[in-house]
Amino acid sequence: MKATEEIFSMLPAFKENDFPTIGTELELQLVDLQNFNLGMEAKDFLRRLSEVEHPGKVIPEITQSMIELNSSVHNSHASLVTELRNLRDILANEAYQAHIGICGGGTHPFQKWSEQRIYPTKRFVGVSENYGYLAKQFTVFGQHIHVAVPNGDDALYVCHGMARYIPQFIALSAASPFQQGVDTSFDCSRLAVISAFPLSGTPPWLLSWREFEDYFQKFHEMGIVKSMKDFYWDIRPKPEFGTVELRICDTPLTVQKAADLTGFAQLLVKWLLEKRPNLSQDIYSTYLINRFSGARYGLDAILIDPIAGLHVPLAEDILSTCDFLEEYANQLHCQFALQQIRKAAQMRDNDAVWLRRCFMDYKSLNDMVRGQTEIWRE
Amino acid sequence: MQVLPSFPLRISPVALLGLTLLLGLIGGEIARYTRILPRITGYIAVGILLGSGGLDIVTPSLLSYARIFVEVSLGLILFDLGRHLDFTWLKHDPGLLPTALTESTLTFIFIFLTLLFFGLPWQSAMIGGVIAVATSPAVVMMVAHDLSAEGPVTRRTLILTSLNNLISVVLFLVCIPLTQPDISWYLACGYILYRLLGSIALGLLMFCLTMSIGFLIGKRKENQFVLFSGMVIFTIGFALILHLSSILTVFTLGVAARNLDHKHYLIEVDFGWLARLFFILLFVVTGVQLQLRGIWIATFTVIAYLIMRFVAKSIGLWLFANKSRLTRQQTWALCFTLLPATETALIMSYKLFDFNPEYGYLLMTVITSVLAISYIISPIAAQIAFIKTNEAISNPHWRFMRTSQDPL
């Protein structure tokens, strides 16, 4: 009995929330301003940051050229933007003195994964031992969006309800066209790296939190996972926060865009929980194809709707989503974010487009990264 | 027509140069197998062994033949060093420039007084002090490269090395005319102004030329590699024709490339394999010129020189460590990484020899011994510093000197 309790204690009780509050995590690149390659600076930079007051949290990530910025919990898009800008400015000031660059983007365009070094914490060392070279290849940079939901059952409902909209987030946030020194022809090449992990993918088709606890227990007993952190799903429930965590986005080039995507997710969750559209497991029959299309073609992708049996241009799909989210944007004071998402879909303009344009102008990946560090500070 | 070689066979300078390179390579690898010594120590040891202090097989003709390669090596290193001097960092870190100025000033004063105390004439003591200011960029770069060291201590070491080399070269150009007893003040001023401003002006002119060519050839790494190498060699040659300081001219070119390339025509180029070749040659040839006899002649002077230099640099670093928000470990590490005495010391000592042979000889005796000891101790000290601060890539052999928070 005691052993069972210990197993259950690994999956915390789902924290209940009445309001769809939001928060975000941004994995950021630390670059050497001499050559604009990734720099092994996380440890010293985090030490410097710990000496100054700042909102949210900044924590290490798997390799020493990455940091993760965590916002606080917010009710509105506007307060999230304010906090992220404030945090960005503090980070920029510290980076000035340490003489390193910070930037967004889903991948660093020319870093060599073999040169990366694992950040020395017990968890990251464990990941490195488990996954071998994949751990260093995991030097990619994503945005994780948290939206609060009322309970565990709703969390699972939202996880599966959002599956239909995952390609929209991939295409809107795509900011990783270059990897290992070449144009990958993908708008988002970061996802291919994550797909290599055996625990990546989507959550199991379970809609009751009780069943999910059993599922987790089974995996825990088999020694596959220790906590929810070990599931690298595109979207997953986060019981201790009482949120659903969307993990599919590339880290955008600006904090404004990161906040806009978070606002967009908040509206979708609000709509899903209020309208409660019927869910069908059939959505997963084309999930991987649509996920691939979103990553490969960005906002020019064509989606396959397996339930309606239609091919839909992704940009048009985003625009029609924006239409039915309009009334929720008014309720949650999120009109500006929705307007920005609509504009991006209309112009077919994501960060991957910006990065390719920057590379065309400078004809150098090093200078492109310099451009990334500059736009991040704007 | 003579088909067969004439006997007895005479080894050509080209063959000797190749042999020097190969022996240096082997020496470096032997040092590495000891698991404690860095490769540089092996290169220098081979040089000392081949030189007049050892087997005496390196002839003056080989040395003159190798001189062009050594100058190119030094030129590339100084150009690269100049590119590490980023003015924006000086602007944003309020402790950086004061650290460099203080540690350089204290080093100059401490060494000047030390050499005076041990009976050297003030002219030799002054040049000795100037030489002591500079840290060896070649040793720092080579140790950092061999350990794949990366991080705040490595970067700070390079910019401080860049700054103290600049200060040392400028001081040298100002002080060297003063060592001539019968020089008039206006001739001295003219000499200083011509060499100082002329070198900077030529460096800037060469930078403009580099930018123009860079604009034409585009950003292909291969092209820019040749552009930088060619421009450095051209700059050295031109500086020598005009009797300017090739060190300051090439350094200015590097600094300008880092700070004045606003349109980003130039890219970062890694000299890679070529650098390795030049590094080996530079260290072996430097080793050939080193003599240990000064250690027996002026034992206390040499020991005092090394200790006072370390103390002066350490005081300078510790005074502004808080201002730069360095940890204690980082500050200690910098005290050790700035330890290597520079190979340009020999060039400066020779210059003093040209100006005043008597003072030059006295100084040369001390400096060659200081360099010999510094090349043995300081690469090891720098290596330990990079490992202790976790900036070097892990090597199982270093377990005895690693901390618990080592990177993997």
Side-chain angles (χ1 to χ4, degrees):
Chain A
M1 184 63 194
K2 196 181 170 192
T4 315
E5 275 170 11
E6 277 172 13
I7 289 160
F8 273 113
S9 72
M10 300 309 293
L11 186 65
F14 199 93
K15 188 185 167 200
E16 296 186 351
N17 291 295
D18 295 332
F19 187 81
T21 51
I22 46 175
T24 192
E25 299 164 7
L26 297 173
E27 291 162 351
L28 296 168
Q29 310 184 26
L30 300 181
V31 299
D32 184 334
L33 294 177
Q34 181 82 11
N35 53 19
F36 292 99
N37 200 348
L38 287 177
M40 307 302 145
E41 302 284 343
K43 201 174 161 194
D44 186 59
F45 190 61
L46 290 171
R47 192 260 310 168
R48 283 172 178 269
L49 271 175
S50 69
E51 293 166 2
V52 291
E53 266 190 46
H54 60 79
K57 271 198 307 188
V58 187
I59 56 174
E61 248 299 330
I62 187 146
T63 57
Q64 294 189 37
S65 50
M66 309 172 76
I67 52 167
E68 185 181 294
L69 178 160
N70 296 349
S71 77
S72 318
V73 179
H74 293 267
N75 285 333
S76 72
H77 168 259
S79 68
L80 176 67
V81 172
T82 307
E83 188 192 57
L84 285 179
R85 282 187 177 159
N86 187 9
L87 192 48
R88 187 261 329 259
D89 291 344
I90 292 167
L91 257 67
N93 278 340
E94 289 304 311
Y96 273 137
Q97 196 183 5
H99 197 56
I100 54 172
I102 301 180
C103 65
T107 54
H108 184 280
F110 61 89
Q111 59 92 9
K112 290 183 182 160
W113 64 264
S114 58
E115 290 173 357
Q116 300 309 312
R117 300 177 198 176
I118 301 294
Y119 196 94
T121 66
K122 201 176 163 190
R123 178 173 140 70
F124 295 139
V125 171
V127 171
S128 174
E129 281 166 4
N130 276 345
Y131 292 111
Y133 84 113
L134 289 181
K136 287 187 179 180
Q137 287 203 329
F138 210 21
T139 308
V140 288
F141 307 84
Q143 177 187 7
H144 300 171
I145 298 169
H146 288 265
V147 184
V149 291
N151 53 56
D153 290 349
D154 284 341
L156 292 168
Y157 173 81
V158 168
C159 281
H160 296 299
M162 287 287 270
R164 161 77 178 72
Y165 301 95
I166 289 290
Q168 296 190 3
F169 281 93
I170 294 172
L172 284 165
S173 70
S176 50
F178 297 94
Q179 236 191 86
Q180 304 293 307
V182 291
D183 189 332
T184 59
S185 78
F186 278 61
D187 270 19
C188 168
S189 66
R190 171 183 143 271
L191 285 183
V193 175
I194 296 165
S195 300
F197 285 83
L199 294 175
S200 63
T202 53
W205 183 256
L206 299 170
L207 291 167
S208 131
W209 188 249
R210 179 64 235 173
E211 286 172 0
F212 186 79
E213 281 177 332
D214 290 343
Y215 172 87
F216 180 87
Q217 184 189 347
K218 205 181 290 175
F219 269 66
H220 186 258
E221 281 173 351
M222 288 188 286
I224 298 170
V225 295
K226 287 185 182 130
S227 74
M228 278 300 292
K229 280 186 175 180
D230 295 322
F231 288 117
Y232 297 146
W233 296 329
D234 293 347
I235 186 166
R236 70 184 180 194
K238 187 86 173 171
E240 60 268 44
F241 293 169
T243 61
V244 164
E245 183 186 7
L246 184 68
R247 300 159 44 81
I248 201 75
C249 299
D250 277 354
T251 299
L253 297 177
T254 60
V255 290
Q256 178 66 52
K257 181 142 200 180
D260 294 344
L261 287 165
T262 310
F264 187 55
Q266 184 189 31
L267 296 177
L268 261 173
V269 170
K270 173 92 172 155
W271 173 80
L272 276 170
L273 290 174
E274 279 197 18
K275 295 290 179 192
R276 296 267 168 185
N278 283 333
L279 298 184
S280 163
Q281 200 172 353
D282 286 349
I283 195 74
Y284 287 111
S285 61
T286 57
Y287 179 83
L288 287 177
I289 297 285
N290 288 336
R291 186 181 186 269
F292 167 83
S293 295
R296 169 71 177 82
Y297 301 106
L299 292 164
D300 292 323
I302 305 288
L303 286 186
I304 303 169
D305 183 341
I307 294 162
L310 293 172
H311 285 65
V312 190
L314 180 57
E316 282 178 25
D317 195 49
I318 295 171
L319 290 173
S320 56
T321 307
C322 288
D323 288 342
F324 65 70
L325 292 180
E326 200 74 57
E327 66 170 290
Y328 296 94
N330 294 333
Q331 282 175 30
L332 296 173
H333 307 292
C334 198
Q335 298 95 331
F336 182 77
L338 197 63
Q339 194 186 326
Q340 292 302 106
I341 298 292
R342 193 187 287 279
K343 201 167 131 191
Q346 280 165 345
M347 310 277 288
R348 311 230 167 166
D349 190 17
N350 59 16
D351 286 346
V353 173
W354 188 91
L355 287 165
R356 286 201 171 98
R357 206 164 43 222
C358 194
F359 178 66
M360 288 292 286
D361 288 346
Y362 290 125
K363 297 186 174 55
S364 149
L365 289 175
N366 307 61
D367 286 331
M368 189 189 83
V369 178
R370 185 173 44 73
Q372 284 175 250
T373 63
E374 285 164 3
I375 197 173
W376 192 78
R377 291 196 301 258
E378 283 171 8
Chain B
M1 190 178 79
Q2 191 175 355
V3 177
L4 293 172
S6 54
F7 287 89
L9 287 173
R10 281 191 309 156
I11 192 154
S12 74
V14 181
L16 257 180
L17 190 69
L19 187 66
T20 307
L21 203 59
L22 294 172
L23 289 174
L25 176 73
I26 294 166
E29 290 310 300
I30 291 171
R32 198 174 66 90
Y33 283 130
T34 64
R35 300 177 181 181
I36 298 170
L37 298 176
R39 287 191 177 99
I40 294 171
T41 311
Y43 303 149
I44 293 288
V46 165
I48 293 173
L49 199 69
L50 296 177
S52 59
L55 302 172
D56 200 16
I57 58 170
V58 176
T59 58
S61 65
L62 169 65
L63 271 184
S64 63
Y65 199 80
R67 194 177 161 166
I68 180 72
F69 293 99
V70 172
E71 278 181 1
V72 171
S73 314
L74 262 179
L76 288 172
I77 290 164
L78 289 165
F79 170 74
D80 206 23
L81 189 70
R83 292 195 82 178
H84 281 92
L85 183 46
D86 191 333
F87 294 156
T88 57
W89 196 3
L90 298 183
K91 201 171 96 184
H92 292 129
D93 184 341
L96 203 47
L97 192 57
T99 303
L101 289 172
T102 311
E103 65 96 353
S104 299
T105 310
L106 288 178
T107 306
F108 175 75
I109 294 169
F110 277 35
I111 298 300
F112 176 66
L113 294 177
T114 303
L115 293 179
L116 274 187
F117 177 79
F118 282 99
L120 266 78
W122 69 266
Q123 292 90 339
S124 301
M126 182 174 65
I127 299 300
V130 169
I131 287 170
V133 168
T135 299
S136 164
V139 172
V140 168
M141 285 178 187
M142 183 86 185
V143 173
H145 184 266
D146 275 357
L147 300 175
S148 301
E150 269 187 70
V153 170
T154 310
R155 289 187 299 112
R156 200 169 281 268
T157 299
L158 285 167
I159 194 168
L160 287 171
T161 302
S162 193
L163 281 164
N164 66 28
N165 272 268
L166 175 63
I167 294 167
S168 174
V169 173
V170 170
L171 276 177
F172 181 75
L173 291 177
V174 172
C175 293
I176 195 75
L178 309 179
T179 59
Q180 261 195 340
D182 50 356
I183 196 166
S184 60
W185 68 269
Y186 55 86
L187 198 61
C189 286
Y191 178 90
I192 292 167
L193 284 176
Y194 175 71
R195 297 261 292 168
L196 199 61
L197 299 182
S199 302
I200 293 170
L202 181 62
L204 291 174
L205 193 71
M206 288 300 174
F207 164 69
C208 294
L209 189 60
T210 310
M211 289 278 283
S212 310
I213 300 173
F215 173 71
L216 285 176
I217 63 168
K219 291 186 176 178
R220 282 178 64 89
K221 278 197 173 168
E222 301 85 341
N223 286 348
Q224 294 238 346
F225 174 83
V226 178
L227 168 65
F228 289 143
S229 307
M231 195 50 77
V232 166
I233 297 167
F234 183 55
T235 304
I236 293 169
F238 217 75
L240 290 174
I241 292 168
L242 296 175
H243 285 256
L244 295 171
S245 162
S246 58
I247 295 176
L248 185 58
T249 311
V250 172
F251 190 84
T252 306
L253 175 62
V255 174
R258 164 62 52 216
N259 295 283
L260 303 179
D261 177 22
H262 301 304
K263 292 191 174 168
H264 307 289
Y265 291 145
L266 308 177
I267 61 168
E268 191 68 21
V269 167
D270 182 8
F271 290 109
W273 299 109
L274 185 72
R276 166 76 55 181
L277 185 87
F278 281 134
F279 270 128
I280 295 177
L281 201 63
L282 176 68
F283 287 123
V284 176
V285 171
T286 305
V288 167
Q289 297 173 85
L290 297 183
Q291 289 172 8
L292 295 167
R293 66 193 165 86
I295 299 171
W296 315 122
I297 298 168
T299 314
F300 291 112
T301 316
V302 171
I303 292 170
Y305 183 107
L306 289 165
I307 292 173
M308 294 315 279
R309 186 169 177 273
F310 175 70
V311 171
K313 289 201 173 289
S314 300
I315 294 172
L317 285 161
W318 279 100
L319 277 176
F320 294 95
N322 275 344
K323 202 148 191 154
S324 289
R325 293 171 57 202
L326 301 177
T327 63
R328 288 166 67 89
Q329 191 191 43
Q330 286 172 335
T331 314
W332 273 120
L334 287 166
C335 295
F336 287 105
T337 55
L338 291 187
L339 210 51
T342 182
E343 46 287 331
T344 51
L346 286 175
I347 298 175
M348 291 181 179
S349 302
Y350 282 129
K351 197 80 191 170
L352 177 62
F353 203 83
D354 291 344
F355 266 71
N356 194 320
E358 186 193 338
Y359 299 151
Y361 177 79
L362 284 170
L363 185 65
M364 192 79 90
T365 311
V366 176
I367 290 298
T368 51
S369 305
V370 163
L371 272 180
I373 296 176
S374 173
Y375 275 130
I376 294 164
I377 298 170
S378 63
I380 301 171
Q383 179 169 288
I384 292 171
F386 287 133
I387 293 167
K388 281 280 183 189
T389 47
N390 297 317
E391 296 199 4
I393 271 193
S394 165
N395 178 329
H397 302 318
W398 300 331
R399 214 161 269 152
F400 67 97
M401 56 170 107
R402 290 176 68 194
T403 59
S404 58
Q405 290 257 299
D406 275 2
L408 302 170

